Amino acid sequence: MADRYCVFGNPIKHSKSSLIHGEFGRQTQQDMTYTSELAPIDGFAAAWQAFVAEGGRGANVTVPFKGDAFALCDTLSHRAERAQAVNTLIVGGNGRTYGDTTDGVGLVRDLAYHGVPVQDKRVLVIGAGGAVRSVLEPLLAEKPDELVVVNRTAEKAIQLAKDFSDLGDVKGGGLDAIEGQFDVVINGTSASLSGDLPPLPDQLFTPHAWAYDMMYGAEPTVFLQWAGPRGAKLLDGLGMLVEQAAESFFLWRNVRPDTAPVRSQLRQSLNFSD
Ligand code: ATR
């Protein structure tokens, strides 16, 4: 019987994960299935246990279960421990659950794919929620000159900067604490979802800067619409989604899929050119 994987979320209807992993599986000729599973809001652990009891080998975890997944793991990767979140579950040989997070690696791989330099650059991250916490360790591993985290609620960014200060030069503050220009500006807030734009200074970008939104959609996000006329090159989070999936796939199957065709396919499905 084919090895079973799935993505758990609530809601789950709009998840692109089964499309992505279906393509990865076909491309690398894996004997596996990958389905979308709606778990009850207060029933994630039971849903995962039932999946394992039926022979499931691993899963992705999306909103709102990344914290629940973190809590139920028997063993965690160090990056999941830092992130306090798990997006990839693996059933070990002895039935124990191993948890990892591939979101941050996904972001860093997508930046590399597009030739965005991070090493020795000034990097600004906007937001201090779960999405940002998951990417800080892999971003700091790229050795930026300075990493500044700003948030509408300043205290959360200050705390986050403290939590990661042993890994590099990372500062935290409120949106009004942004000083100088940045080479890479990453929007990790959920503001894009509601079409909101955090207030940002006009002179935010260096001459060859990149603006990156961890969200994506058929149209550029409000943050990217704001950044374009201010001279930044633009990237949305579609590539990050594909790359985090590729990393999960690698953890399960020990095979690295080619992300390029899946990027195009996903972009086309959004009616948007890469
Ligand atoms: P996620 O898992 O997507 O990170 P989260 O943990 O709820 O979700 O965090 C949402 C982030 O988006 C927070 O940094 C939040 O700022 P606050 O900490 O001040 O709430 C930010 N955010 C959401 N809506 C925003 C808006 N309209 N303007 C600015 N920041 C916003």
Side-chain angles (χ1 to χ4, degrees), residues 63 66 126-133 150-154 156 175 187-194 196-199 215:
V63 179
K66 290 182 185 184
I126 307 161
V132 167
R133 179 175 277 276
V150 292
N151 192 43
R152 180 174 62 182
T153 311
K156 279 164 71 180
L175 293 168
N187 182 21
T189 70
S190 52
S192 311
L193 284 178
S194 48
D196 290 332
L197 180 69
M215 300 281 170

Side-chain angles (χ1 to χ4, degrees), residues 20 49 54 58 67 92 146 152 172 224-225 260-261 263-264 268 274:
I20 296 171
Q49 278 146 18
E54 289 161 10
E146 187 185 15
R152 180 174 62 182
L224 295 181
Q225 288 180 36
R263 286 168 176 273
S264 312
Q268 269 171 18
D274 201 352

Side-chain angles (χ1 to χ4, degrees), residues 228-248:
R230 286 162 181 80
K233 288 168 275 188
L234 311 179
L235 289 172
D236 73 7
L238 182 140
M240 175 177 171
L241 176 75
V242 178
E243 292 294 341
Q244 64 78 28
E247 183 72 11
S248 296

Side-chain angles (χ1 to χ4, degrees), residues 82-228:
R82 280 271 181 184
Q84 297 172 11
V86 158
N87 81 338
T88 307
L89 292 168
I90 304 170
V91 181
N94 49 8
R96 288 161 66 85
T97 299
Y98 174 77
D100 200 350
T101 176
T102 62
D103 289 331
V105 171
L107 171 64
V108 166
R109 288 243 166 83
D110 192 40
L111 291 170
Y113 181 91
H114 289 101
V116 180
V118 174
Q119 190 174 7
D120 299 328
K121 300 296 181 188
R122 281 199 91 208
V123 178
L124 178 70
V125 179
I126 307 161
V132 167
R133 179 175 277 276
S134 290
V135 302
L136 290 185
E137 178 176 348
L139 264 182
L140 284 164
E142 297 301 299
K143 304 275 176 239
D145 177 44
E146 187 185 15
L147 183 64
V148 179
V149 183
V150 292
N151 192 43
R152 180 174 62 182
T153 311
E155 300 76 53
K156 279 164 71 180
I158 292 165
Q159 184 59 48
L160 211 48
K162 268 195 202 134
D163 291 350
F164 286 82
S165 59
D166 56 320
L167 298 179
D169 183 358
V170 46
K171 295 185 179 67
L175 293 168
D176 56 358
I178 298 173
E179 276 177 16
Q181 297 182 318
F182 290 85
D183 305 297
V184 183
V185 178
I186 299 168
N187 182 21
T189 70
S190 52
S192 311
L193 284 178
S194 48
D196 290 332
L197 180 69
L200 298 167
D202 265 320
Q203 306 297 321
L204 185 59
F205 300 107
T206 58
H208 303 288
W210 292 82
Y212 192 107
D213 201 318
M214 284 163 57
M215 300 281 170
Y216 69 91
E219 301 296 329
T221 66
V222 281
F223 169 67
L224 295 181
Q225 288 180 36
W226 175 87

Side-chain angles (χ1 to χ4, degrees), residues 19-30 32 242 246 249 255-263 265:
L19 188 159
I20 296 171
H21 284 284
E23 285 304 314
F24 287 167
R26 261 188 290 282
Q27 185 196 102
T28 59
Q29 300 179 328
Q30 300 294 298
M32 63 183 280
V242 178
F249 190 90
V255 180
R256 228 171 245 296
D258 179 6
T259 59
V262 182
R263 286 168 176 273
Q265 196 181 336

